Amino acid sequence: FFSSRRRHTRLQGDWSSDVCSSDLLTESLGYGKYIIELEGNPAKLDKDLVVGFFTYDHVDSLNHHREIDIEFSRWGNENNDNSQYVLQPFVIAQNVHRFQSDLSRRSRHEINWNKGCVEFSSCYLTGENDSLPCEKYASWSHKPRPRLQKNQEKFSMNVWIFKTDFPSDFNDYEFIVTRFEFIPYKFHNSLRLF
């Protein structure tokens, strides 16, 4: 739900069925900069939950759905780093960059996608307004071969449970997106949804 220009996404339930909360844009945005800002969440992210921000083409399975991800999860193992940048398929080691995030802090995450390269960055927000100072803590650049061309992929965000029926701590989880903005290449106007 939306409140005061914020997007709240919550995973909750009786844990007796497949559970996933997600949002999907209806139009493809293509090449450009995707900016996501998150409110800090003092609740610990359960080892079995996955919070994802990604592009996805539901039709094009030949190109791994043109999926580009920023994900927060320990993938069922408490000892794993809790964050990753991914260009699918994830089974190719050089397509994944894992790192640790302090999810209790406000943060900004960016995907810069052009014809030849996908660049990712993450930083902690340290100010109080739109021109927030940013303390970078992770970045990665990848040149996929063959090149990842835009098509009908749409931007999505979701939270879901990995390989189990319920979170190990049985708690609900919520993340709050305080900003989503897209800045297309070759244009000067951005699309800021909130």
Side-chain angles (χ1 to χ4, degrees):
F1 66 91
F2 289 95
S3 73
S4 303
R5 294 180 44 179
R6 295 169 182 245
R7 177 69 181 116
H8 296 247
T9 302
R10 178 177 292 146
L11 182 65
Q12 63 184 29
D14 61 10
W15 313 120
S16 61
S17 61
D18 290 339
V19 180
C20 178
S21 178
S22 65
D23 289 302
L24 170 70
L25 294 183
T26 58
E27 299 295 323
S28 176
L29 300 177
Y31 298 131
K33 181 187 288 189
Y34 298 77
I35 302 168
I36 306 105
E37 291 184 0
L38 300 176
E39 191 66 47
N41 187 339
K44 181 181 175 188
L45 180 65
D46 184 88
K47 70 179 179 64
D48 297 318
L49 292 183
V50 180
V51 175
F53 303 93
F54 56 99
T55 62
Y56 194 86
D57 184 334
H58 288 271
V59 177
D60 189 2
S61 61
L62 292 176
N63 291 294
H64 307 283
H65 300 282
R66 300 179 193 279
E67 187 173 350
I68 302 169
D69 303 277
I70 296 176
E71 296 172 312
F72 303 100
S73 180
R74 293 194 185 276
W75 302 102
N77 183 340
E78 284 287 350
N79 297 319
N80 283 342
D81 285 337
N82 67 358
S83 307
Q84 65 182 20
Y85 304 136
V86 182
L87 271 73
Q88 297 297 336
F90 70 90
V91 294
I92 299 173
Q94 63 264 30
N95 286 0
V96 180
H97 176 76
R98 295 198 52 84
F99 58 98
Q100 186 67 28
S101 293
D102 180 353
L103 299 175
S104 70
R105 296 180 67 181
R106 294 172 56 219
S107 57
R108 176 184 301 145
H109 308 276
E110 296 180 1
I111 300 170
N112 289 294
W113 179 24
N114 64 45
K115 287 183 181 180
C117 185
V118 181
E119 298 174 330
F120 299 85
S121 67
S122 295
C123 64
Y124 299 121
L125 300 173
T126 57
E128 294 299 324
N129 57 37
D130 267 356
S131 59
L132 297 171
C134 214
E135 175 189 326
K136 187 182 279 190
Y137 68 92
S139 63
W140 184 55
S141 179
H142 187 59
K143 294 180 179 179
R145 295 292 178 251
R147 289 183 176 179
L148 184 60
Q149 302 291 323
K150 67 183 180 83
N151 193 23
Q152 291 302 310
E153 68 290 325
K154 298 179 179 62
F155 189 81
S156 300
M157 59 183 85
N158 65 12
V159 58
W160 52 282
I161 302 170
F162 175 71
K163 288 190 177 181
T164 186
D165 294 328
F166 49 84
S168 64
D169 64 8
F170 291 93
N171 289 327
D172 297 344
Y173 188 79
E174 176 181 51
F175 67 90
I176 300 171
V177 178
T178 57
R179 175 183 174 198
F180 173 77
E181 183 174 2
F182 175 74
I183 303 170
Y185 285 110
K186 299 185 182 179
F187 297 101
H188 299 288
N189 297 326
S190 66
L191 171 65
R192 183 162 180 175
L193 298 180
F194 52 94

PDB file of all heavy atoms in Angstrom, residues 55-56 63-69 71 84 86-92 95-96 144 148:
ATOM      1  N   THR A  55      14.255  -6.392 -13.022  1.00  0.00           N
ATOM      2  CA  THR A  55      13.574  -6.357 -14.316  1.00  0.00           C
ATOM      3  C   THR A  55      13.236  -7.807 -14.670  1.00  0.00           C
ATOM      4  O   THR A  55      13.966  -8.734 -14.304  1.00  0.00           O
ATOM      5  CB  THR A  55      14.464  -5.748 -15.411  1.00  0.00           C
ATOM      6  OG1 THR A  55      15.628  -6.563 -15.572  1.00  0.00           O
ATOM      7  CG2 THR A  55      14.858  -4.317 -15.073  1.00  0.00           C
ATOM      8  N   TYR A  56      12.127  -7.976 -15.404  1.00  0.00           N
ATOM      9  CA  TYR A  56      11.706  -9.337 -15.747  1.00  0.00           C
ATOM     10  C   TYR A  56      10.797  -9.290 -16.969  1.00  0.00           C
ATOM     11  O   TYR A  56       9.811  -8.553 -16.998  1.00  0.00           O
ATOM     12  CB  TYR A  56      10.964  -9.970 -14.569  1.00  0.00           C
ATOM     13  CG  TYR A  56      10.778 -11.465 -14.689  1.00  0.00           C
ATOM     14  CD1 TYR A  56      11.770 -12.334 -14.255  1.00  0.00           C
ATOM     15  CD2 TYR A  56       9.627 -12.005 -15.231  1.00  0.00           C
ATOM     16  CE1 TYR A  56      11.617 -13.715 -14.356  1.00  0.00           C
ATOM     17  CE2 TYR A  56       9.459 -13.379 -15.336  1.00  0.00           C
ATOM     18  CZ  TYR A  56      10.457 -14.223 -14.905  1.00  0.00           C
ATOM     19  OH  TYR A  56      10.304 -15.589 -15.009  1.00  0.00           O
ATOM     20  N   ASN A  63      16.321 -15.595 -23.129  1.00  0.00           N
ATOM     21  CA  ASN A  63      17.305 -14.657 -22.600  1.00  0.00           C
ATOM     22  C   ASN A  63      17.166 -14.516 -21.083  1.00  0.00           C
ATOM     23  O   ASN A  63      17.385 -13.445 -20.530  1.00  0.00           O
ATOM     24  CB  ASN A  63      17.170 -13.299 -23.296  1.00  0.00           C
ATOM     25  CG  ASN A  63      17.591 -13.366 -24.745  1.00  0.00           C
ATOM     26  OD1 ASN A  63      18.754 -13.584 -25.041  1.00  0.00           O
ATOM     27  ND2 ASN A  63      16.633 -13.223 -25.640  1.00  0.00           N
ATOM     28  N   HIS A  64      16.788 -15.604 -20.434  1.00  0.00           N
ATOM     29  CA  HIS A  64      16.668 -15.656 -18.974  1.00  0.00           C
ATOM     30  C   HIS A  64      15.778 -14.533 -18.459  1.00  0.00           C
ATOM     31  O   HIS A  64      16.050 -13.937 -17.418  1.00  0.00           O
ATOM     32  CB  HIS A  64      18.053 -15.646 -18.309  1.00  0.00           C
ATOM     33  CG  HIS A  64      18.939 -16.718 -18.852  1.00  0.00           C
ATOM     34  ND1 HIS A  64      18.814 -18.031 -18.491  1.00  0.00           N
ATOM     35  CD2 HIS A  64      19.925 -16.673 -19.784  1.00  0.00           C
ATOM     36  CE1 HIS A  64      19.688 -18.762 -19.150  1.00  0.00           C
ATOM     37  NE2 HIS A  64      20.379 -17.961 -19.938  1.00  0.00           N
ATOM     38  N   HIS A  65      14.714 -14.260 -19.220  1.00  0.00           N
ATOM     39  CA  HIS A  65      13.698 -13.265 -18.865  1.00  0.00           C
ATOM     40  C   HIS A  65      14.262 -11.854 -18.726  1.00  0.00           C
ATOM     41  O   HIS A  65      13.635 -11.002 -18.126  1.00  0.00           O
ATOM     42  CB  HIS A  65      12.942 -13.685 -17.602  1.00  0.00           C
ATOM     43  CG  HIS A  65      12.244 -14.994 -17.759  1.00  0.00           C
ATOM     44  ND1 HIS A  65      11.058 -15.111 -18.436  1.00  0.00           N
ATOM     45  CD2 HIS A  65      12.582 -16.243 -17.364  1.00  0.00           C
ATOM     46  CE1 HIS A  65      10.672 -16.377 -18.439  1.00  0.00           C
ATOM     47  NE2 HIS A  65      11.580 -17.084 -17.801  1.00  0.00           N
ATOM     48  N   ARG A  66      15.480 -11.626 -19.253  1.00  0.00           N
ATOM     49  CA  ARG A  66      16.132 -10.305 -19.172  1.00  0.00           C
ATOM     50  C   ARG A  66      16.120  -9.803 -17.726  1.00  0.00           C
ATOM     51  O   ARG A  66      15.893  -8.645 -17.439  1.00  0.00           O
ATOM     52  CB  ARG A  66      15.470  -9.306 -20.108  1.00  0.00           C
ATOM     53  CG  ARG A  66      15.520  -9.735 -21.547  1.00  0.00           C
ATOM     54  CD  ARG A  66      14.845  -8.778 -22.491  1.00  0.00           C
ATOM     55  NE  ARG A  66      14.671  -9.406 -23.782  1.00  0.00           N
ATOM     56  CZ  ARG A  66      15.603  -9.511 -24.714  1.00  0.00           C
ATOM     57  NH1 ARG A  66      16.790  -9.029 -24.509  1.00  0.00           N
ATOM     58  NH2 ARG A  66      15.353 -10.101 -25.858  1.00  0.00           N
ATOM     59  N   GLU A  67      16.396 -10.739 -16.818  1.00  0.00           N
ATOM     60  CA  GLU A  67      16.298 -10.440 -15.385  1.00  0.00           C
ATOM     61  C   GLU A  67      17.601  -9.867 -14.844  1.00  0.00           C
ATOM     62  O   GLU A  67      18.658 -10.465 -14.944  1.00  0.00           O
ATOM     63  CB  GLU A  67      15.922 -11.701 -14.610  1.00  0.00           C
ATOM     64  CG  GLU A  67      15.642 -11.429 -13.159  1.00  0.00           C
ATOM     65  CD  GLU A  67      15.103 -12.632 -12.422  1.00  0.00           C
ATOM     66  OE1 GLU A  67      14.769 -13.652 -13.069  1.00  0.00           O
ATOM     67  OE2 GLU A  67      15.025 -12.562 -11.191  1.00  0.00           O
ATOM     68  N   ILE A  68      17.475  -8.676 -14.250  1.00  0.00           N
ATOM     69  CA  ILE A  68      18.561  -7.980 -13.561  1.00  0.00           C
ATOM     70  C   ILE A  68      18.054  -7.742 -12.146  1.00  0.00           C
ATOM     71  O   ILE A  68      16.984  -7.158 -11.963  1.00  0.00           O
ATOM     72  CB  ILE A  68      18.877  -6.631 -14.239  1.00  0.00           C
ATOM     73  CG1 ILE A  68      19.246  -6.825 -15.715  1.00  0.00           C
ATOM     74  CG2 ILE A  68      19.967  -5.894 -13.473  1.00  0.00           C
ATOM     75  CD1 ILE A  68      19.314  -5.522 -16.500  1.00  0.00           C
ATOM     76  N   ASP A  69      18.804  -8.189 -11.121  1.00  0.00           N
ATOM     77  CA  ASP A  69      18.301  -8.178  -9.751  1.00  0.00           C
ATOM     78  C   ASP A  69      19.192  -7.430  -8.773  1.00  0.00           C
ATOM     79  O   ASP A  69      20.419  -7.522  -8.858  1.00  0.00           O
ATOM     80  CB  ASP A  69      18.231  -9.609  -9.187  1.00  0.00           C
ATOM     81  CG  ASP A  69      17.394 -10.558  -9.998  1.00  0.00           C
ATOM     82  OD1 ASP A  69      16.180 -10.557  -9.812  1.00  0.00           O
ATOM     83  OD2 ASP A  69      17.971 -11.313 -10.810  1.00  0.00           O
ATOM     84  N   GLU A  71      18.950  -8.091  -4.736  1.00  0.00           N
ATOM     85  CA  GLU A  71      18.201  -8.949  -3.804  1.00  0.00           C
ATOM     86  C   GLU A  71      18.823  -8.907  -2.416  1.00  0.00           C
ATOM     87  O   GLU A  71      20.046  -8.830  -2.280  1.00  0.00           O
ATOM     88  CB  GLU A  71      18.184 -10.393  -4.304  1.00  0.00           C
ATOM     89  CG  GLU A  71      17.447 -10.545  -5.615  1.00  0.00           C
ATOM     90  CD  GLU A  71      17.578 -11.922  -6.211  1.00  0.00           C
ATOM     91  OE1 GLU A  71      18.706 -12.443  -6.278  1.00  0.00           O
ATOM     92  OE2 GLU A  71      16.541 -12.479  -6.615  1.00  0.00           O
ATOM     93  N   GLN A  84      22.828  -9.167  -2.810  1.00  0.00           N
ATOM     94  CA  GLN A  84      23.506  -9.549  -4.038  1.00  0.00           C
ATOM     95  C   GLN A  84      22.973  -8.763  -5.221  1.00  0.00           C
ATOM     96  O   GLN A  84      21.823  -8.340  -5.249  1.00  0.00           O
ATOM     97  CB  GLN A  84      23.384 -11.040  -4.319  1.00  0.00           C
ATOM     98  CG  GLN A  84      21.990 -11.552  -4.597  1.00  0.00           C
ATOM     99  CD  GLN A  84      21.975 -13.053  -4.806  1.00  0.00           C
ATOM    100  OE1 GLN A  84      22.879 -13.780  -4.402  1.00  0.00           O
ATOM    101  NE2 GLN A  84      20.939 -13.548  -5.447  1.00  0.00           N
ATOM    102  N   VAL A  86      22.656  -9.395  -9.376  1.00  0.00           N
ATOM    103  CA  VAL A  86      22.629 -10.582 -10.242  1.00  0.00           C
ATOM    104  C   VAL A  86      22.184 -10.217 -11.652  1.00  0.00           C
ATOM    105  O   VAL A  86      21.257  -9.434 -11.827  1.00  0.00           O
ATOM    106  CB  VAL A  86      21.650 -11.649  -9.692  1.00  0.00           C
ATOM    107  CG1 VAL A  86      21.651 -12.893 -10.566  1.00  0.00           C
ATOM    108  CG2 VAL A  86      21.944 -12.004  -8.264  1.00  0.00           C
ATOM    109  N   LEU A  87      22.843 -10.804 -12.636  1.00  0.00           N
ATOM    110  CA  LEU A  87      22.344 -10.872 -14.003  1.00  0.00           C
ATOM    111  C   LEU A  87      22.076 -12.350 -14.245  1.00  0.00           C
ATOM    112  O   LEU A  87      22.988 -13.169 -14.129  1.00  0.00           O
ATOM    113  CB  LEU A  87      23.376 -10.355 -15.002  1.00  0.00           C
ATOM    114  CG  LEU A  87      23.317  -8.861 -15.276  1.00  0.00           C
ATOM    115  CD1 LEU A  87      23.832  -8.074 -14.123  1.00  0.00           C
ATOM    116  CD2 LEU A  87      24.050  -8.541 -16.542  1.00  0.00           C
ATOM    117  N   GLN A  88      20.852 -12.687 -14.556  1.00  0.00           N
ATOM    118  CA  GLN A  88      20.517 -14.093 -14.755  1.00  0.00           C
ATOM    119  C   GLN A  88      21.173 -14.620 -16.031  1.00  0.00           C
ATOM    120  O   GLN A  88      21.315 -13.860 -16.997  1.00  0.00           O
ATOM    121  CB  GLN A  88      18.997 -14.274 -14.804  1.00  0.00           C
ATOM    122  CG  GLN A  88      18.306 -13.888 -13.517  1.00  0.00           C
ATOM    123  CD  GLN A  88      18.710 -14.740 -12.329  1.00  0.00           C
ATOM    124  OE1 GLN A  88      19.159 -15.883 -12.466  1.00  0.00           O
ATOM    125  NE2 GLN A  88      18.558 -14.188 -11.133  1.00  0.00           N
ATOM    126  N   PRO A  89      21.606 -15.884 -16.022  1.00  0.00           N
ATOM    127  CA  PRO A  89      21.356 -16.902 -15.008  1.00  0.00           C
ATOM    128  C   PRO A  89      22.358 -16.831 -13.844  1.00  0.00           C
ATOM    129  O   PRO A  89      23.548 -16.636 -14.047  1.00  0.00           O
ATOM    130  CB  PRO A  89      21.528 -18.219 -15.774  1.00  0.00           C
ATOM    131  CG  PRO A  89      22.517 -17.893 -16.847  1.00  0.00           C
ATOM    132  CD  PRO A  89      22.260 -16.458 -17.220  1.00  0.00           C
ATOM    133  N   PHE A  90      21.861 -17.006 -12.641  1.00  0.00           N
ATOM    134  CA  PHE A  90      22.681 -16.897 -11.430  1.00  0.00           C
ATOM    135  C   PHE A  90      23.651 -18.066 -11.270  1.00  0.00           C
ATOM    136  O   PHE A  90      24.596 -17.987 -10.493  1.00  0.00           O
ATOM    137  CB  PHE A  90      21.806 -16.780 -10.176  1.00  0.00           C
ATOM    138  CG  PHE A  90      21.067 -18.044  -9.832  1.00  0.00           C
ATOM    139  CD1 PHE A  90      21.630 -18.993  -9.002  1.00  0.00           C
ATOM    140  CD2 PHE A  90      19.801 -18.272 -10.348  1.00  0.00           C
ATOM    141  CE1 PHE A  90      20.957 -20.163  -8.690  1.00  0.00           C
ATOM    142  CE2 PHE A  90      19.109 -19.431 -10.037  1.00  0.00           C
ATOM    143  CZ  PHE A  90      19.688 -20.385  -9.204  1.00  0.00           C
ATOM    144  N   VAL A  91      23.432 -19.155 -12.001  1.00  0.00           N
ATOM    145  CA  VAL A  91      24.305 -20.323 -11.871  1.00  0.00           C
ATOM    146  C   VAL A  91      25.687 -20.091 -12.486  1.00  0.00           C
ATOM    147  O   VAL A  91      26.598 -20.876 -12.270  1.00  0.00           O
ATOM    148  CB  VAL A  91      23.656 -21.594 -12.474  1.00  0.00           C
ATOM    149  CG1 VAL A  91      22.429 -21.997 -11.681  1.00  0.00           C
ATOM    150  CG2 VAL A  91      23.305 -21.381 -13.944  1.00  0.00           C
ATOM    151  N   ILE A  92      25.855 -19.009 -13.242  1.00  0.00           N
ATOM    152  CA  ILE A  92      27.174 -18.617 -13.750  1.00  0.00           C
ATOM    153  C   ILE A  92      27.782 -17.686 -12.709  1.00  0.00           C
ATOM    154  O   ILE A  92      27.259 -16.593 -12.461  1.00  0.00           O
ATOM    155  CB  ILE A  92      27.057 -17.936 -15.124  1.00  0.00           C
ATOM    156  CG1 ILE A  92      26.437 -18.906 -16.141  1.00  0.00           C
ATOM    157  CG2 ILE A  92      28.421 -17.434 -15.590  1.00  0.00           C
ATOM    158  CD1 ILE A  92      26.115 -18.285 -17.473  1.00  0.00           C
ATOM    159  N   ASN A  95      28.141 -13.905 -12.841  1.00  0.00           N
ATOM    160  CA  ASN A  95      26.899 -13.137 -12.948  1.00  0.00           C
ATOM    161  C   ASN A  95      26.363 -12.688 -11.592  1.00  0.00           C
ATOM    162  O   ASN A  95      25.302 -12.062 -11.522  1.00  0.00           O
ATOM    163  CB  ASN A  95      25.810 -13.946 -13.648  1.00  0.00           C
ATOM    164  CG  ASN A  95      26.040 -14.059 -15.133  1.00  0.00           C
ATOM    165  OD1 ASN A  95      27.013 -13.537 -15.668  1.00  0.00           O
ATOM    166  ND2 ASN A  95      25.147 -14.753 -15.808  1.00  0.00           N
ATOM    167  N   VAL A  96      27.056 -13.031 -10.503  1.00  0.00           N
ATOM    168  CA  VAL A  96      26.574 -12.736  -9.153  1.00  0.00           C
ATOM    169  C   VAL A  96      27.659 -12.028  -8.352  1.00  0.00           C
ATOM    170  O   VAL A  96      28.821 -12.445  -8.357  1.00  0.00           O
ATOM    171  CB  VAL A  96      26.168 -14.042  -8.418  1.00  0.00           C
ATOM    172  CG1 VAL A  96      25.665 -13.738  -7.007  1.00  0.00           C
ATOM    173  CG2 VAL A  96      25.123 -14.809  -9.211  1.00  0.00           C
ATOM    174  N   PRO A 144      27.711  -8.299 -19.695  1.00  0.00           N
ATOM    175  CA  PRO A 144      27.246  -9.639 -20.076  1.00  0.00           C
ATOM    176  C   PRO A 144      27.547  -9.950 -21.536  1.00  0.00           C
ATOM    177  O   PRO A 144      27.520  -9.068 -22.389  1.00  0.00           O
ATOM    178  CB  PRO A 144      25.736  -9.574 -19.827  1.00  0.00           C
ATOM    179  CG  PRO A 144      25.390  -8.131 -19.869  1.00  0.00           C
ATOM    180  CD  PRO A 144      26.614  -7.373 -19.444  1.00  0.00           C
ATOM    181  N   LEU A 148      22.960  -7.835 -23.126  1.00  0.00           N
ATOM    182  CA  LEU A 148      21.582  -7.928 -22.659  1.00  0.00           C
ATOM    183  C   LEU A 148      20.783  -6.784 -23.279  1.00  0.00           C
ATOM    184  O   LEU A 148      20.930  -5.632 -22.890  1.00  0.00           O
ATOM    185  CB  LEU A 148      21.550  -7.850 -21.126  1.00  0.00           C
ATOM    186  CG  LEU A 148      20.197  -8.035 -20.460  1.00  0.00           C
ATOM    187  CD1 LEU A 148      19.609  -9.403 -20.806  1.00  0.00           C
ATOM    188  CD2 LEU A 148      20.330  -7.894 -18.955  1.00  0.00           C
TER     189      LEU A 148
END
